[in-house]
Amino acid sequence: MAEGRDRNFNLGVAAMAVGLVLALVGALWAHFTGLSEFDDVGREIYPNIPRGWAWVLIGQLVSLGGVLILMAGTTLAFLYGKPLTWARSAIGALLF
């Protein structure tokens, strides 16, 4: 029984790390693809970064997916398979 809890904790922490990285990458992706192509003087900035609403939307979806994986990892690491207390129930309701 304890091995299962340790396994769930390790998987949950790994999912939290992956979710955090995905959320940050997606947020940066959405930010940089949403920038203007030209600065105030009219010079082109960041010419190698693709622009357009589709790229921004993809970055936002990656970020949202990362946040959801982060929440699922938190649930798996700290709530799944453990006896429910008031504090754990409140955290589970907040995550839900």
Side-chain angles (χ1 to χ4, degrees):
M1 187 72 145
E3 296 89 22
R5 288 186 182 172
D6 290 341
R7 182 174 168 261
N8 286 340
F9 181 77
N10 292 338
L11 285 174
V13 170
M16 289 169 58
V18 168
L20 182 63
V21 168
L22 278 176
L24 290 174
V25 166
L28 289 173
W29 183 343
H31 171 74
F32 281 108
T33 57
L35 290 176
S36 175
E37 292 185 38
F38 302 98
D39 63 3
D40 293 336
V41 183
R43 295 175 297 195
E44 188 177 21
I45 53 173
Y46 307 120
N48 295 330
I49 295 178
R51 302 293 203 292
W53 65 269
W55 291 103
V56 175
L57 180 65
I58 291 169
Q60 290 171 346
L61 289 174
V62 168
S63 184
L64 176 64
V67 168
L68 293 175
I69 291 172
L70 176 68
M71 290 170 54
T74 304
T75 303
L76 184 62
F78 298 112
L79 299 177
Y80 186 74
K82 295 182 181 175
L84 284 180
T85 62
W86 282 103
R88 287 189 183 128
S89 299
I91 291 170
L94 175 73
L95 291 173
F96 183 75

